[in-house]
Amino acid sequence: MTCSVDYGYTVSRLRGMENRLLEPGVFQRLMDSDDLSSAIRVLSETPYGKWILEQQSEEKFDKAIESELLYIYSETERFVPDPGLYFICRLPYDIHNIKVLLKGIFNQKEGGKRRMDLLTGLGNMPVDEMVMAIESEDYRLMPFGFHRTVPECVSIWDQSHDILQVERVLDEALFSLQVKIAGEMPFEGVRLFVRSRIDAENIRNLARLKRMGFESPQAAPFFHNGGSVPVEKVLSLLNEPFEGWERFLSFADVSRTLSSAQEHTGLDSLIVDLERSIDDFLSGILAKFKYSAFAPENVLHFLWLKEIEAKNLRILLVGIGNGADRSVLRRLLRNV
Amino acid sequence: MDQLGIMLAVLGAALAAGFAGSGSAIGVGIAGESGAGIMTEDPGKFGLVLLLQALPGTQGIYGLLTAFFAILKVGLLGGDAVSVNVWQGLGVLFACLPIAIAGYYSGIAQGKTSAACIQMIAKRPEETGKAVILPAMVETYAVLALLMSIILLNSIQF
């Protein structure tokens, strides 16, 4: 009788909300659409319809997807007992916003333009407050330790003008925060998800850095601590051919993301496939918890499913808009 | 000593009603929370949810039934006064324990199963029949405990 039932209401409500997720049939209809207009018409019949109506043109479908995600996050926030669960999911958007704002400022200093349209409202910190804090250089009230991270990034830029270094510091802050928040909650599944996410990010970075021809000493700062696989182990793979990575990592779950590595002729195609494999791997980590009626990890599972749904929609709509081959689009879809 | 015997019998009745009722209350509460979650999204499922929420409530009824039977046995509910010695009182107390213990734990377990089944019908309303059978399996053990309590109470001679 030690099983906690605190999440009985939450998980049940999420089960009800799962009925609003798009069925595979909808994705099939989207894929069968001749052009973007007909795809948008199909999407209008789904819960995304109300947001599509608000957009002035079909090309603004990304705003409609973002609005639906924001609606889901806001709704979930109201009844999830532990805010850490949705903080973890929304933190990447905060970091994205900081990157957009900082790059805009750095760009402007060099005579370029700022891209405020790339900001998203999906972060934990309201966009207006973040813009105000960064533009006025008044970082004191920024949450999650951003009041230390942002000035550090500005300082790095002032000294080195190295945008990769700035991105690395922000990514490091993201994963440290996720590890910290997960560590404060008594849910092993959440910690497992965060660890797996860091492992997956390290594998993604490994493939990218290998393609860019980085050597181990240069690449080391781009890997993040906190995963199940030690950074040293991942770093050592940089000198190995990518076909053998899965074998070297066979002791870790994340090796599943590389199961098709041997089918690829080069790193370019591996990297494209890796994006899908990583998302499917993380979906698999969380899917285990759907069989538990009271597991708090179901919150992460639902939010992750919604994120994957949004990602699939973006892939399909951008692909259809650009006249991409449907079989290519089908291969890019996650978990459908 | 008669008074102590009566008190032991009353304690048995109180445990039967109290523990089994508590188990039911917790179980119905767990199932109710799940039900509320589902109905927030789909109020049309009220009928199915109510059925599943009510299932863990039976342990409380079994406990109450045993308690009535126990105090009836010692003549506290009218009829001729019965002389109850300490050993007979202890016998009634022990006879009430099966439903008190099994009622408490099975009520909670059934509540959890009902909650899980409520979540199941949220996604698959066509599986309501199976959703009722799963918590009903837990009920078996509450019924067995009730049966044993009644047999034991019947076997005590005054």
Side-chain angles (χ1 to χ4, degrees):
Chain A
M1 292 299 148
T2 53
C3 169
S4 169
V5 292
D6 295 346
Y7 274 77
Y9 174 85
T10 305
V11 177
S12 298
R13 180 119 184 234
L14 293 173
R15 293 274 186 270
M17 288 169 75
E18 277 175 22
N19 290 331
R20 284 192 254 156
L21 292 171
L22 299 186
E23 300 281 330
V26 175
F27 285 102
Q28 186 57 51
R29 285 177 63 202
L30 283 169
M31 227 159 347
D32 293 340
S33 305
D34 295 329
D35 52 23
L36 188 60
S37 298
S38 45
I40 295 290
R41 268 199 301 280
V42 172
L43 201 59
S44 303
E45 298 164 15
T46 68
Y48 290 84
K50 61 185 169 196
W51 312 116
I52 286 172
L53 283 175
E54 289 177 5
Q55 308 308 319
Q56 288 164 348
S57 74
E58 286 172 352
E59 283 73 28
K60 300 267 184 186
F61 61 80
D62 197 49
K63 285 286 169 202
I65 294 172
E66 188 182 310
S67 301
E68 170 69 8
L69 269 179
L70 187 57
Y71 169 70
I72 290 292
Y73 274 120
S74 314
E75 203 176 352
T76 316
E77 262 183 45
R78 291 197 210 119
F79 62 86
V80 172
D82 290 284
L85 289 169
Y86 52 81
F87 285 164
I88 284 178
C89 296
R90 299 183 77 166
L91 269 173
Y93 296 109
D94 287 315
I95 295 293
H96 165 84
N97 283 343
I98 293 175
K99 283 181 183 175
V100 169
L101 285 168
L102 287 181
K103 282 179 185 174
I105 290 171
F106 301 155
N107 220 9
Q108 204 173 30
K109 281 180 184 171
E110 295 184 339
K113 281 186 179 175
R114 302 174 71 172
R115 292 288 307 272
M116 302 298 269
D117 56 312
L118 294 177
L119 292 171
T120 171
L122 292 169
N124 292 296
M125 188 177 179
V127 176
D128 294 346
E129 288 177 24
M130 187 177 277
V131 172
M132 183 73 80
I134 291 181
E135 289 200 337
S136 62
E137 297 185 10
D138 184 4
Y139 310 118
R140 285 171 304 168
L141 296 178
M142 291 185 87
F144 303 113
F146 295 151
H147 63 285
R148 286 189 299 272
T149 313
V150 176
E152 186 187 345
C153 292
V154 173
S155 164
I156 289 169
W157 174 259
D158 287 342
Q159 289 169 25
S160 65
H161 279 49
D162 184 351
I163 199 67
L164 272 180
Q165 173 79 347
V166 171
E167 291 220 17
R168 191 191 63 72
V169 168
L170 286 169
D171 288 341
E172 189 62 48
L174 167 66
F175 292 116
S176 308
L177 269 168
Q178 287 186 327
V179 168
K180 182 172 173 278
I181 294 171
E184 286 166 358
M185 289 186 287
F187 312 132
E188 184 47 42
V190 179
R191 288 193 283 274
L192 174 68
F193 175 70
V194 170
R195 278 201 305 271
S196 303
R197 211 165 174 175
I198 293 172
D199 284 336
E201 182 66 19
N202 282 342
I203 296 294
R204 183 189 280 131
N205 284 348
L206 175 71
R208 286 176 179 167
L209 293 167
K210 174 96 177 166
R211 185 178 59 172
M212 291 161 76
F214 272 59
E215 296 294 331
S216 294
Q218 296 168 278
F222 292 93
F223 295 106
H224 307 288
N225 287 305
S228 311
V229 183
V231 166
E232 298 75 31
K233 180 77 185 170
V234 183
L235 201 55
S236 70
L237 297 178
L238 210 53
N239 301 320
E240 304 291 339
F242 71 84
E243 292 89 346
W245 288 351
E246 187 196 5
R247 188 166 49 81
F248 283 109
L249 291 174
S250 56
F251 64 92
D253 288 345
V254 76
S255 65
R256 273 180 279 167
T257 58
L258 295 160
S259 58
S260 62
Q262 294 191 344
E263 295 163 16
H264 295 279
T265 51
L267 274 166
D268 289 336
S269 64
L270 173 71
I271 288 169
V272 172
D273 190 50
L274 206 51
E275 295 293 330
R276 187 187 51 78
S277 305
I278 285 173
D279 286 339
D280 288 347
F281 162 66
L282 293 172
S283 299
I285 295 280
L286 292 172
K288 285 182 271 189
F289 298 100
K290 70 180 175 187
Y291 301 109
S292 174
F294 306 104
E297 289 85 353
N298 281 298
V299 177
L300 286 185
H301 181 234
F302 173 74
L303 294 174
W304 180 255
L305 286 179
K306 197 68 194 174
E307 291 276 357
I308 292 296
E309 177 184 282
K311 198 177 273 188
N312 280 337
L313 283 177
R314 286 188 182 114
I315 290 169
L316 276 177
L317 294 174
V318 170
I320 292 167
N322 290 312
D325 185 348
R326 298 303 191 261
S327 60
V328 174
L329 290 181
R330 189 185 298 277
R331 280 202 300 276
L332 291 173
L333 289 186
R334 275 83 166 151
N335 243 351
V336 173
Chain B
M1 291 302 273
D2 273 9
Q3 290 302 312
L4 184 57
I6 290 282
M7 283 305 113
L8 286 170
V10 167
L11 177 63
L15 289 177
F19 271 95
S22 300
S24 276
I26 297 171
V28 170
I30 292 169
E33 271 190 44
S34 271
I38 295 295
M39 284 192 297
T40 309
E41 293 301 313
D42 185 0
K45 291 210 166 66
F46 175 70
L48 299 174
V49 167
L50 186 67
L51 173 69
L52 284 163
Q53 194 199 352
L55 281 178
T58 50
Q59 282 81 349
I61 299 169
Y62 299 158
L64 186 70
L65 189 72
T66 308
F68 268 124
F69 200 66
I71 53 177
L72 195 67
K73 190 91 180 164
V74 296
L76 287 178
L77 268 185
D80 295 333
V82 179
S83 170
V84 182
N85 66 32
V86 174
W87 297 110
Q88 287 166 330
L90 264 179
V92 173
L93 170 62
F94 286 137
C96 290
L97 288 183
I99 190 58
I101 297 168
Y104 179 76
Y105 284 109
S106 70
I108 297 171
Q110 199 170 24
K112 288 179 179 175
T113 317
S114 290
C117 289
I118 285 171
Q119 292 177 12
M120 185 174 113
I121 58 167
K123 298 207 82 174
R124 296 179 184 275
E126 70 279 7
E127 303 289 0
T128 307
K130 290 174 191 164
V132 175
I133 290 171
L134 297 178
M137 296 297 286
V138 185
E139 187 79 16
T140 313
Y141 301 95
V143 172
L144 293 179
L146 171 70
L147 200 64
M148 185 44 66
S149 285
I150 289 176
I151 289 170
L152 290 173
L153 281 172
N154 260 334
S155 66
I156 299 167
Q157 300 298 321
F158 292 100

